[in-house]
């Protein structure tokens, strides 16, 4: 199990450290090195252009393998780190500290989730975000809040296990499923086409 820690917002270091404790390796993405240091976690790898990684921490973790890239590049530090882990044979990645601070980074990250629906998910202290596959059953808890947000247009969406079920609906900028409620321990989701993001509150 591999986690990437980026330079976004962490509201509780103690809760996040507890979440990270189950991972076999933790990768610091540029300024995510600061978050790792605050949690007394030595990353297995540091990746990025280092424009937001504190110099003193780079010295402190000089023994950690560093993959440095130019500031002028076509991909974000997070995307570069994702591809680097895939090249190293990691099948699934959990992303931490990718929310808050910058809306452009958030939107960029949502499309990364849609590009790799079975390989990436975002975890924070309060929610899990991932791209839903066209036929998927989610393990949930009764009473959990779940939102389904289309990236563009999603057609033929049907659900089972929610308080307000959706039956063969089109999701787009006119209609989304915001703050629905899980009625059972499983929620089934089926849709025909498009990219669908699930935000599951803890």
């Amino acid at each position: 199990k591999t986690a990437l820690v980026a330079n976004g917002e962490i509201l509780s270091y103690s809760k996040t450290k507890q979440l990270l404790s189950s991972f076999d390796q933790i990768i610091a993405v540029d300024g995510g090195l600061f978050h790792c240091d605050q949690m007394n976690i030595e990353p297995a790898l540091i990746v990025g252009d280092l424009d937001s990684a504190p110099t003193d921490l780079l010295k402190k973790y000089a023994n950690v393998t560093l993959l440095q890239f130019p500031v002028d590049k076509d991909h974000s530090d997070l995307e570069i780190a994702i591809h680097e882990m895939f090249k190293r044979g990691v099948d699934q990645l959990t992303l931490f500290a990718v929310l808050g601070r910058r809306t452009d980074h958030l939107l960029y990250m949502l499309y990364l989730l849609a590009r790799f629906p079975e390989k990436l998910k975002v975890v924070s202290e309060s929610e899990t975000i991932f791209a839903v596959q066209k036929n998927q059953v989610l393990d949930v808890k009764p009473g959990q809040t779940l939102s389904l947000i289309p990236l563009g247009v999603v057609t033929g969406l049907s659900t089972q296990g929610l308080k307000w079920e959706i039956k063969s609906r089109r999701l787009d900028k006119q209609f989304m499923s915001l703050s629905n409620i899980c009625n059972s321990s499983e929620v089934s989701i089926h849709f025909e086409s498009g990219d669908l993001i699930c935000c599951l509150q803890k």
Side-chain angles (χ1 to χ4, degrees):
K1 294 178 62 178
T2 300
L4 302 185
V5 179
N7 192 34
E9 188 175 66
I10 291 181
L11 299 177
S12 170
Y13 282 124
S14 60
K15 290 181 180 179
T16 302
K17 184 175 183 179
Q18 185 176 6
L19 291 170
L20 286 167
S21 64
S22 64
F23 287 86
D24 301 311
Q25 63 174 346
I26 297 169
I27 311 302
V29 181
D30 208 288
L33 181 62
F34 174 80
H35 290 320
C36 289
D37 185 66
Q38 291 296 302
M39 294 181 285
N40 294 313
I41 293 173
E42 181 174 303
L45 183 68
I46 302 169
V47 182
D49 57 24
L50 308 186
D51 64 344
S52 58
T55 303
D56 59 327
L57 292 184
L58 290 172
K59 293 179 180 178
K60 179 178 179 179
Y61 296 99
N63 61 308
V64 176
T65 301
L66 173 65
L67 289 180
Q68 184 173 1
F69 294 85
V71 174
D72 295 330
K73 56 189 183 302
D74 293 331
H75 304 290
S76 70
D77 290 327
L78 179 62
E79 186 173 353
I80 286 173
I82 289 169
H83 284 292
E84 181 62 33
M85 291 301 102
F86 288 162
K87 284 195 299 183
R88 294 178 178 221
V90 178
D91 292 327
Q92 295 181 323
L93 293 168
T94 302
L95 314 180
F96 288 84
V98 295
L99 305 175
R101 295 193 181 181
R102 290 186 57 174
T103 302
D104 55 346
H105 284 188
L106 169 62
L107 294 173
Y108 188 90
M109 182 272 302
L110 292 178
Y111 279 93
L112 283 178
L113 293 180
R115 199 185 309 170
F116 305 106
E118 298 180 67
K119 295 187 174 185
L120 299 180
K121 67 177 177 180
V122 172
V123 172
S124 72
E125 305 94 324
S126 60
E127 64 182 328
T128 300
I129 307 173
F130 53 93
V132 184
Q133 300 172 58
K134 289 183 178 178
N135 290 285
Q136 188 166 353
V137 178
L138 308 180
D139 293 323
V140 297
K141 297 176 182 178
Q144 270 189 292
T145 300
L146 179 150
S147 296
L148 297 173
I149 309 297
L151 295 181
V153 175
V154 169
T155 63
L157 175 67
S158 296
T159 65
Q160 187 174 354
L162 295 175
K163 181 176 182 180
W164 297 286
E165 298 287 23
I166 302 170
K167 298 298 182 183
S168 300
R169 287 293 303 266
R170 170 189 169 107
L171 266 63
D172 54 24
K173 63 184 178 181
Q174 304 296 337
F175 176 75
M176 305 178 193
S177 179
L178 186 66
S179 298
N180 213 322
I181 304 297
C182 300
N183 269 351
S184 65
S185 60
E186 289 186 345
V187 170
S188 299
I189 299 174
H190 167 80
F191 60 98
E192 294 173 356
S193 66
D195 293 312
L196 185 63
I197 298 296
C198 177
C199 301
L200 183 62
Q201 305 299 311
K202 292 183 178 178

